[in-house]
C-alpha cells in the first residue's frame, strides 16, 4: 500500500496569495500539522516572480507591470525571474527526513523533476532533467524549478509551460542591454518551448494537472488524495500574504 | 560613509548570473557595503546576508576575499548552487575594474 500524501488544487490566485500558500504549507508541514503535500495552481492576474536573491529593480520593469496589470513578487526560493501566465505551477512540501527525499540538494531536484518528467510522458512528451533546475524537451526549456529548505522541510516549486509569449515577457523584464534586446528575445524563443508548441494544440490546465499527479505518484510511490488547506494554513496564508509577499519592503529587499 | 559605487555582472562558469552592487573606499580598496544578487541558490538563504555583513571592511583582493568567504561558508554551513566561492570573489573584484 503506497503512502498517502495530500493533493491541493488551489485554482488561480494572485502572486501574493500563491506564494503565501506555499510558505503556509511549508510551516504547517514542518510542525507536523499536515502530510506531505503536492499542490497545483495558476496565476490570476499574470505575474512575475523573482528569485530570493535577485534585485527587483534590476530584473523587473515595475512600471510596465503596473501598466499591463501584471503582479510582481519575490519568492522565498532562489533562482531566476519567471513570467507566470499560461502555465501549470506545482509545489511539493515534504520533510527533509522523508526516505524518498535525498539529503543532497541536487539529487532532490533530480527526484522532483523526475515526477514532472513522468507526468510529461503521460502527455506523450519525452523530456529530460537539465541541471541545475530545468527540464528540457529536445534541448528547449519547458520547466523551471526552485527549492528551499527551512525547518527541516523541503519546498520545491516550479512551472510547466502550457504556452509562452516571449515578446510579452520581455516587455515586463529588464534586459542588461537594450541594444541587444531583439537578439536576446530571438535567443530565448529558440531556447524555450511549451506543451502547446510541442503537441500543436492547447492542453488544458486540468489535463496537465492530472498527468502531473500521476507523475508524482509514480516517482515517489505515493497516492495523492485531494484535500484542502487547513484552518491554520489559511490563517498563515493571510498572515504571510500581508506581512511578506504583498509587503513593499520584502519585494524591494534587493 | 559613502565611497565609490560600482556594479559587476559575471556569469559564473557552469553556474548562474551573478550581479554585485558594491560601495567601496577607493583609498584603501575596502568594502563599505555589498549586495550579492542573481539567480543562484544558497542554503540557507540567510547565509548570503551573513556573507554580505562579514565582507564589510574587507580589502578587495581575490585571494583575501576567497579566504574570508571560505571561513564564513564553513562557519555557517552555507551551500551554494550555481555559484561558488571563487566566482563570488571574482564578481567582487570585477566591480573594481568596471
Amino acid at each position: 500500500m503506497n503512502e498517502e500524501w495530500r493533493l491541493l488544487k488551489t485554482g488561480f490566485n494572485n502572486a501574493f496569495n500563491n506564494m503565501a500558500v506555499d510558505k503556509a504549507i511549508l510551516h504547517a508541514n514542518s510542525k507536523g500539522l499536515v502530510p506531505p503535500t503536492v499542490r497545483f495552481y495558476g496565476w490570476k492576474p499574470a505575474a512575475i516572480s523573482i528569485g530570493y536573491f535577485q534585485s527587483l529593480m534590476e530584473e523587473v520593469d515595475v512600471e510596465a507591470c503596473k501598466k499591463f496589470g501584471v503582479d510582481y513578487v519575490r519568492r522565498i526560493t532562489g533562482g531566476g525571474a519567471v513570467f507566470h501566465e499560461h502555465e501549470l505551477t506545482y509545489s511539493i512540501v515534504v520533510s527533509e527526513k522523508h526516505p524518498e527525499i535525498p539529503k543532497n540538494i541536487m539529487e532532490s531536484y533530480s527526484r522532483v523533476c523526475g515526477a514532472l518528467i513522468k507526468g510529461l510522458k503521460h502527455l506523450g512528451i519525452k523530456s529530460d532533467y537539465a541541471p541545475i533546475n530545468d527540464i528540457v524537451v529536445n534541448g528547449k526549456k519547458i520547466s523551471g524549478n526552485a527549492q528551499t529548505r527551512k525547518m527541516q522541510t523541503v519546498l520545491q516549486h516550479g512551472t510547466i509551460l502550457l504556452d509562452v509569449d516571449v515578446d510579452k515577457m520581455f516587455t515586463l523584464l529588464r534586459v542588461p542591454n537594450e541594444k541587444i534586446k531583439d537578439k536576446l528575445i530571438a535567443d530565448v524563443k529558440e531556447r524555450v518551448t511549451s506543451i502547446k508548441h510541442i503537441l500543436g494544440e492547447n492542453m488544458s490546465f486540468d489535463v496537465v494537472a492530472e498527468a502531473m499527479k500521476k507523475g508524482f505518484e509514480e516517482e515517489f510511490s505515493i497516492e495523492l488524495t485531494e484535500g484542502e488547506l487547513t484552518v491554520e494554513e489559511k490563517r498563515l496564508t493571510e498572515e504571510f500574504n500581508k506581512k511578506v509577499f504583498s509587503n513593499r519592503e520584502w519585494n524591494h529587499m534587493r | 560613509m559613502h565611497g565609490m559605487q560600482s556594479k559587476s555582472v559575471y556569469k559564473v562558469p557552469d553556474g548562474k548570473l551573478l550581479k554585485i552592487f558594491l560601495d567601496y573606499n577607493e583609498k584603501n580598496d575596502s568594502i563599505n557595503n555589498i549586495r550579492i544578487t542573481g539567480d543562484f541558490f544558497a542554503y540557507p538563504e540567510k547565509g548570503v546576508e551573513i556573507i554580505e555583513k562579514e565582507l564589510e571592511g574587507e580589502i578587495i583582493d581575490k585571494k583575501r576575499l576567497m579566504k574570508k568567504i571560505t571561513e564564513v561558508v564553513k562557519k555557517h554551513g552555507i551551500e551554494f548552487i550555481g555559484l561558488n566561492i571563487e566566482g563570488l570573489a571574482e564578481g567582487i573584484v570585477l566591480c573594481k575594474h568596471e
Side-chain angles (χ1 to χ4, degrees):
Chain A
M1 175 93 185
N2 285 339
E3 191 179 314
E4 192 174 310
W5 290 17
R6 179 176 59 160
L7 175 67
L8 292 175
K9 292 182 183 170
T10 54
F12 291 72
N13 286 287
N14 72 33
F16 318 115
N17 188 274
N18 272 338
M19 292 297 90
V21 170
D22 277 353
K23 188 173 161 83
I25 300 167
L26 175 67
H27 277 243
N29 182 268
S30 75
K31 292 178 196 154
L33 299 174
V34 296
T37 298
V38 173
R39 174 189 173 217
F40 297 129
Y41 58 105
W43 306 67
K44 202 171 181 179
I48 301 270
S49 77
I50 58 165
Y52 181 78
F53 302 107
Q54 290 190 299
S55 159
L56 178 71
M57 298 312 278
E58 183 76 14
E59 305 297 335
V60 180
D61 187 337
V62 169
E63 290 310 314
C65 286
K66 284 177 186 162
K67 189 175 151 193
F68 293 108
V70 171
D71 286 341
Y72 50 88
V73 68
R74 181 182 300 280
R75 301 190 303 268
I76 58 171
T77 50
V82 182
F83 175 44
H84 305 277
E85 194 177 39
H86 307 295
E87 65 172 44
L88 175 128
T89 313
Y90 76 90
S91 63
I92 174 172
V93 175
V94 55
S95 168
E96 254 183 347
K97 296 190 184 105
H98 193 284
E100 287 287 338
I101 299 299
K103 299 278 166 283
N104 180 285
I105 294 172
M106 285 305 294
E107 283 174 26
S108 63
Y109 267 104
S110 163
R111 279 303 299 281
V112 178
C113 289
L116 306 177
I117 289 166
K118 287 186 168 70
L120 285 167
K121 204 174 165 194
H122 283 287
L123 297 170
I125 298 171
K126 188 188 172 301
S127 61
D128 299 291
Y129 171 51
I132 300 170
N133 56 326
D134 293 339
I135 293 170
V136 296
V137 177
N138 295 326
K140 294 184 176 192
K141 178 171 173 172
I142 194 166
S143 164
N145 304 274
Q147 184 185 127
T148 184
R149 294 181 174 211
K150 296 181 194 300
M151 302 165 289
Q152 284 86 53
T153 309
V154 175
L155 160 67
Q156 183 166 317
H157 46 203
T159 66
I160 306 277
L161 285 169
L162 304 180
D163 194 1
V164 61
D165 185 343
V166 175
D167 292 304
K168 187 173 179 187
M169 183 168 90
F170 276 100
T171 62
L172 304 163
L173 292 177
R174 285 199 189 283
V175 293
N177 184 347
E178 283 293 326
K179 284 181 197 159
I180 58 156
K181 189 169 180 171
D182 289 346
K183 185 181 181 310
L184 194 67
I185 291 172
D187 283 353
V188 172
K189 281 180 181 171
E190 278 300 305
R191 286 190 283 113
V192 174
T193 190
S194 67
I195 288 179
K196 183 183 175 184
H197 188 82
I198 296 160
L199 298 180
E201 60 176 330
N202 277 316
M203 197 55 71
S204 78
F205 182 96
D206 290 338
V207 168
V208 177
E210 192 53 37
M212 291 304 141
K213 175 181 180 250
K214 286 182 197 160
F216 275 96
E217 287 180 331
E218 289 163 10
E219 178 68 32
F220 293 106
S221 305
I222 54 168
E223 191 176 326
L224 284 170
T225 303
E226 204 165 336
E228 290 185 358
L229 289 168
T230 63
V231 171
E232 173 64 1
E233 284 172 319
K234 285 180 185 165
R235 188 193 67 75
L236 286 168
T237 298
E238 270 188 42
E239 183 185 324
F240 295 144
N241 184 328
K242 197 174 154 198
K243 289 186 181 164
V244 183
F245 299 105
S246 61
N247 185 314
R248 192 181 190 283
E249 214 169 297
W250 165 263
N251 289 317
H252 287 258
M253 177 168 72
R254 274 166 198 273
Chain B
M1 192 169 62
H2 267 294
M4 185 73 180
Q5 311 269 328
S6 182
K7 179 191 161 189
S8 74
V9 178
Y10 176 58
K11 165 75 172 68
V12 180
D14 295 322
K16 300 285 189 178
L17 194 66
L18 180 65
K19 297 181 182 181
I20 291 181
F21 298 85
L22 193 72
D23 180 318
Y24 69 100
N25 184 332
E26 261 189 309
K27 285 178 189 160
N28 63 4
D29 276 351
S30 69
I31 295 172
N32 293 333
N33 191 276
I34 180 168
R35 271 273 175 272
I36 302 163
T37 77
D39 58 353
F40 57 88
F41 298 89
Y43 303 90
E45 284 82 3
K46 290 280 172 208
V48 171
E49 282 147 43
I50 295 168
I51 292 169
E52 288 172 341
K53 194 81 199 146
E54 293 274 350
L55 285 176
E56 286 174 16
E58 288 294 315
I59 304 298
I60 306 168
D61 168 84
K62 193 169 169 183
K63 272 190 179 164
R64 290 172 75 158
L65 289 169
M66 281 180 69
K67 185 168 175 278
K68 178 70 184 179
I69 298 164
T70 303
E71 278 170 24
V72 182
V73 161
K74 276 190 180 159
K75 186 178 169 194
H76 295 275
I78 299 162
E79 185 178 344
F80 292 125
I81 292 180
L83 178 62
N84 54 53
I85 292 167
E86 186 175 3
L88 182 50
E90 180 66 24
I92 299 169
V93 171
L94 281 175
C95 287
K96 233 175 63 173
H97 301 151
E98 288 187 5

